Amino acid sequence: MLKRLLLRLISIAITLLGVSIVVFVAVRLVPGNPVAMMLGPGATAEDAAALEALLGLDKSILVQYWIWLTNVVQGDFGTSISLRQDVLTLVLGRLPATLELAFLALVFAALLGGMLAVTGTIRRGGWTENGIDLWNGLTLSTPDFLWGLFLILVFGVWLQIAGISGRISPQLDLPFTTQFYLIESVLRLRFDLTANLIGHMWMPALALALPLSAMIGQLLKQSLKETMHLDYVTLARAKGFTENQVIWREAMRNALAPTLTLTAVQFTHLIGGTVIVERLFSYGGLGNLAIDAVINRDLPLIQGIVLVFAVIFVLINLAVDLLYAVLNPRLRHG
Amino acid sequence: MDEALRTSPRATPWRLWLSGGWLTLFFGVALLAPWIAPHDPLYQDLFLQRLPPFWIDGAETGHPLGTDSLGRDVASRLMHGASVAATVALIAGLATCLLGSVLGLLAGFYRGWVDQVISRIVDIWMSFPPVLFAILLVAVIGTGLTSVIVAIIVIDWTRFTRVVRAETMAQARMDYTEAAHVAGMSRFATLMREILPNVAPVILSVLTLQMGIAIVVEAILSFVNLSVSTDDPTWGGMIAEGRVSIHQAWWVLIFPMIALFLTVLSFTQFGDALRNRFDPVLR
């Protein structure tokens, strides 16, 4: 187990190094001269040379990479060109909004998928299960982008029951000291603010959750149905448990493992989806910041955001591996 | 989307016919758009702004799906948008498929350091969120249709490589591969003549999936205004305009949405149904 973990950590280090090289090279490929862009018209050749030396652009590409990497490791991601603020501060300020949205979406997906799976298992073989299969097929092939638009149209425009933009109503007085609004509102027992936050978050969260809920629903139903034929489940039925009790008390524990692994893996896709869904709902998270950064060609900011996303992805993958080892005792003693 | 999660293996011919029918219509319209579109998609008629579609009072017969906030014909823009979508689906889909499948075949068949290098690059690639990666790339190489296609190829080849590598490894362990070796066939010939035909159904189903994904990526990039120039009609661009005028003219938003939805759905369903039909194991 320890050896496995160590190997995994080394592999993570290599992956992150690779990511940093890709980001560094990609940004250097941008057409146009950054020095000329920063100085603007009317600058002399001496000015340009001085700025080049200041930015380290007169050194070789390898030296430049090394300087950049050592800075990044120390948390110095540079300064945003369009917002004129420290990149790391900007990114960390927006990250909590995105994490809260992603976790709410995960909860939605688990609840919805679980409900579909259990209903489908209880009513297996009938038209209910066929209906659930059809729904899952449709949901799975519809990207979160389209779900977001669909929700805006139905709830925002036709039914007019929900505001369709932002993270929280702007006129509210916020007592928060951190950026984790949702968690802090619960901890401070300000449930009025929690309700306001959820009111803004449920649509983007649902848009992100629906494709994942279909995957969870389909896979969990399949595993539950397989488990329902096993002897110990038959024994539970013979003892007089109802079908619902059989599923929740007996079958679920054994059927859950593959679904958990899948959910953890797919969670990275869900986080990737926040970029566009946040844009759709004008939700003030990291994804929305990323699109602004690209539109303004703010390269230091783009670099920072991509690296932070990559670190999150790698950490989630590590968590999946560990989870897998915990759930599968054969690997623990490998 | 995970391969193991594709919908049920039961053969449903109506799925193949419905999705195939829509795709035929889609490619047909895409090809013939310049001739069959009733209006110039860029022509602005400011006297005919926000005309509703035909079933609502106030519609004009010349604009069956209404007009947008600049008085342009929605139906014509939808048809020309289909051309852009079809171009992206075909070029980006096929190029991604070629690149990813070749690497997957090599990694899965030759194993060793080839596999090590390719698999490590795939790992690194997959630690980028795809949409963000696409946006980063387009920011780097500039906007435009070519950039979008290049971005899709650069990002999505891993989807083929992973699946094809796994399938090639499975096929390489089979008896027929061993038999080809014993019969004196060279390694390369075994790969091309024995293994490739057996991996092909999987490649085909990922290809249709990828075409659908390419269309969505193009729509997302034109939605955030990073794809073709704003003048050209695209579904994503129409969706972005529709999102702005959503309270005045919802039809500008909903028609490109429906077109995008049906096309993506048809691509996934068609690939699924096709694989059920041609995969001897599933049949």
Side-chain angles (χ1 to χ4, degrees), chain B residues 162-210:
Chain B
R162 271 192 318 158
V163 176
V164 171
R165 173 179 172 269
E167 188 65 20
T168 307
M169 272 161 61
Q171 297 290 342
R173 277 195 291 272
M174 301 238 177
D175 287 342
Y176 74 85
T177 313
E178 183 67 19
H181 180 64
V182 172
M185 202 182 248
S186 77
R187 295 265 287 161
F188 186 70
T190 312
L191 179 62
M192 295 311 286
R193 281 196 238 147
E194 301 290 332
I195 292 183
L196 184 58
N198 285 295
V199 182
V202 176
I203 296 182
L204 198 65
S205 93
V206 184
L207 175 62
T208 51
L209 184 70
Q210 175 62 35

Side-chain angles (χ1 to χ4, degrees), chain B residues 218-243:
Chain B
E218 196 281 322
I220 287 177
L221 287 173
S222 32
F223 178 78
V224 293
N225 215 346
L226 288 172
S227 179
V228 298
S229 74
T230 32
D231 292 339
D232 289 330
T234 58
W235 291 351
M238 290 176 78
I239 288 173
E241 288 156 15
R243 171 81 178 80

Side-chain angles (χ1 to χ4, degrees), chain B:
Chain B
M1 272 166 255
D2 222 81
E3 266 304 289
L5 282 163
R6 309 298 294 277
T7 33
S8 59
R10 278 166 303 180
T12 39
W14 59 269
R15 266 204 310 170
L16 193 65
W17 290 115
L18 273 183
S19 56
W22 175 262
L23 290 179
T24 313
L25 183 70
F26 164 70
F27 280 116
V29 167
L31 202 64
L32 300 173
W35 296 280
I36 58 173
H39 297 272
D40 178 349
L42 302 178
Y43 177 71
Q44 304 181 359
D45 189 339
L46 295 177
F47 292 108
L48 293 175
Q49 286 172 348
R50 300 196 192 101
L51 285 178
F54 65 88
W55 65 87
I56 295 176
D57 286 344
E60 293 255 342
T61 38
H63 300 283
L65 301 184
T67 56
D68 65 11
S69 46
L70 292 173
R72 295 173 298 193
D73 183 50
V74 171
S76 307
R77 292 176 68 73
L78 212 52
M79 290 176 181
H80 282 270
S83 304
V84 177
T87 311
V88 172
L90 280 179
I91 301 179
L94 289 174
T96 315
C97 174
L98 192 67
L99 177 66
S101 303
V102 167
L103 291 174
L105 280 169
L106 293 178
F109 189 66
Y110 290 104
R111 309 301 307 275
W113 66 266
V114 182
D115 187 22
Q116 285 293 323
V117 171
I118 293 176
S119 296
R120 181 55 58 202
I121 296 177
V122 169
D123 277 355
I124 293 171
W125 240 242
M126 297 195 53
S127 46
F128 290 105
V131 175
L132 188 59
F133 198 4
I135 291 172
L136 168 76
L137 270 176
V138 171
V140 169
I141 54 186
T143 56
L145 199 57
T146 319
S147 307
V148 172
I149 291 173
V150 169
I152 293 171
I153 298 168
V154 170
I155 295 160
D156 277 345
W157 59 273
T158 53
R159 179 169 290 117
F160 288 89
T161 308
R162 271 192 318 158
V163 176
V164 171
R165 173 179 172 269
E167 188 65 20
T168 307
M169 272 161 61
Q171 297 290 342
R173 277 195 291 272
M174 301 238 177
D175 287 342
Y176 74 85
T177 313
E178 183 67 19
H181 180 64
V182 172
M185 202 182 248
S186 77
R187 295 265 287 161
F188 186 70
T190 312
L191 179 62
M192 295 311 286
R193 281 196 238 147
E194 301 290 332
I195 292 183
L196 184 58
N198 285 295
V199 182
V202 176
I203 296 182
L204 198 65
S205 93
V206 184
L207 175 62
T208 51
L209 184 70
Q210 175 62 35
M211 286 184 169
I213 291 172
I215 289 179
V216 175
V217 172
E218 196 281 322
I220 287 177
L221 287 173
S222 32
F223 178 78
V224 293
N225 215 346
L226 288 172
S227 179
V228 298
S229 74
T230 32
D231 292 339
D232 289 330
T234 58
W235 291 351
M238 290 176 78
I239 288 173
E241 288 156 15
R243 171 81 178 80
V244 176
S245 60
I246 192 171
H247 292 283
Q248 297 88 36
W250 49 265
W251 53 89
V252 182
L253 177 65
I254 199 153
F255 289 119
M257 267 176 68
I258 293 173
L260 188 60
F261 168 71
L262 286 179
T263 310
V264 174
L265 184 68
S266 299
F267 269 120
T268 44
Q269 295 300 317
F270 189 71
D272 243 18
L274 210 60
R275 195 172 53 153
N276 287 343
R277 196 135 209 200
F278 292 112
D279 194 324
V281 180
L282 284 175
R283 195 166 48 189

Side-chain angles (χ1 to χ4, degrees), chain A residues 25-73:
Chain A
V25 171
V27 168
R28 291 303 171 289
L29 289 177
V30 178
N33 182 349
V35 173
M37 261 160 59
M38 283 172 83
L39 285 175
T44 61
E46 288 87 57
D47 289 341
L51 187 61
E52 260 179 32
L54 188 71
L55 296 173
L57 291 176
D58 52 346
K59 303 192 178 65
S60 78
I61 188 96
L62 275 176
V63 176
Q64 283 186 44
Y65 173 69
W66 177 249
I67 294 172
W68 177 76
L69 190 66
T70 44
N71 284 338
V72 163
V73 170

